[in-house]
Amino acid sequence: MEDVADVTADIVILATGYQNALPDFLEPIADRLEQIDDELAIGEDFSMRRDGPRDRRTFVQNASLGQRGLADPNLSLLAWRARRILDSLLGHAPCAKPEQPGSSVVSRSRSGPPRSRKGQWDMTR
């Protein structure tokens, strides 16, 4: 016997695994979601692009392999993506530098990792 209950939540996280597919619960608004080829169009802040109020966003990760390349499913970038989402939610300019698909550029000084103007370690470059 299955127990069914209604739940009220401020946030819902859908962890669907590595197969990209539009979840059934999004079908009623599928025509309002922008797509690129067979993927959801994902903004720089990892929000789905759609028609609707800008203050109502849905953020996704690992759903834009065709747009972002092999870095998209890379779990080592999870903290970077989470920071981009947090910056967007808080209305801050991105602290995590924008990604550059297909390239990795690291600037190093002779004394170690790059530093910001304030002399702190800058690991975002």
Side-chain angles (χ1 to χ4, degrees):
M1 178 169 85
E2 290 185 31
D3 292 335
V4 177
D6 289 338
V7 176
T8 302
D10 292 328
I11 297 173
V12 176
I13 298 173
L14 178 67
T16 62
Y18 288 100
Q19 182 178 5
N20 286 338
L22 189 65
D24 291 340
F25 74 86
L26 289 177
E27 283 300 325
I29 63 166
D31 60 330
R32 298 178 67 191
L33 303 174
E34 187 178 330
Q35 293 200 3
I36 297 174
D37 295 324
D38 288 331
E39 290 181 341
L40 293 170
I42 308 300
E44 291 294 317
D45 65 350
F46 294 93
S47 63
M48 294 187 314
R49 293 199 308 233
R50 59 177 180 75
D51 67 347
R54 291 185 170 265
D55 65 338
R56 307 279 198 267
R57 293 170 291 171
T58 302
F59 295 91
V60 296
Q61 294 192 42
N62 296 349
S64 59
L65 181 64
Q67 297 162 69
R68 289 193 164 80
L70 292 175
D72 189 62
N74 189 333
L75 295 177
S76 68
L77 296 174
L78 184 61
W80 175 82
R81 289 189 294 256
R83 179 58 190 253
R84 294 288 300 225
I85 292 170
L86 180 62
D87 289 340
S88 180
L89 287 169
L90 296 175
H92 297 160
C95 289
K97 304 283 185 206
E99 61 188 352
Q100 297 175 351
S103 66
S104 293
V105 178
V106 176
S107 171
R108 296 189 184 274
S109 67
R110 290 185 183 148
S111 61
R115 293 180 181 260
S116 71
R117 289 182 213 162
K118 296 179 181 177
Q120 299 168 337
W121 296 112
D122 182 359
M123 300 308 286
T124 62
R125 290 195 268 167

